[in-house]
């Protein structure tokens, strides 16, 4: 069953969660990994991802180009 709109992950919810975690745990390091160049990704999509990365100030960040793999959903 798909989640309802109220339970879906959004950029806004993710940003709020990261900020809350940082406020509650001083000195915490946050890291993430992203994939860029997914089929159908637009320049606008890419720029939104870049803006998100800049706002979130990750301590460690890995970014990899999309690479098709057989028998995967992406």
């Amino acid at each position: 069953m798909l989640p309802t709109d109220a339970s879906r992950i959004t950029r806004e919810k993710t940003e709020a969660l990261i900020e809350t975690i940082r406020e509650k745990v001083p000195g915490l390091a946050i890291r993430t990994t992203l994939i860029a160049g997914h089929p159908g990704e637009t320049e606008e999509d890419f720029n939104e991802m870049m803006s998100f990365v800049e706002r979130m100030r990750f301590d460690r960040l890995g970014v990899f180009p999309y690479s098709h793999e057989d028998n995967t959903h992406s």
Side-chain angles (χ1 to χ4, degrees):
M1 178 165 66
L2 292 175
T4 64
D5 285 343
S7 66
R8 289 182 191 240
I9 296 170
T10 65
R11 178 178 41 82
E12 291 83 7
K13 288 178 184 178
T14 301
E15 290 180 7
L17 177 60
I18 291 170
E19 292 303 322
T20 297
I21 291 169
R22 285 205 164 143
E23 289 171 6
K24 292 185 182 273
V25 186
L28 178 74
I30 299 179
R31 58 182 276 182
T32 194
T33 304
L34 304 170
I35 298 173
H38 195 276
E41 178 180 280
T42 65
E43 187 170 344
E44 181 180 346
D45 295 330
F46 179 81
N47 290 337
E48 182 177 344
M49 180 178 68
M50 290 292 297
S51 178
F52 170 75
V53 167
E54 290 172 351
R55 284 191 310 277
M56 294 300 96
R57 308 171 326 274
F58 294 107
D59 299 285
R60 297 283 184 261
L61 174 68
V63 181
F64 300 92
Y66 170 82
S67 178
H68 175 76
E69 293 184 17
D70 291 336
N71 302 317
T72 64
H73 293 288
S74 287

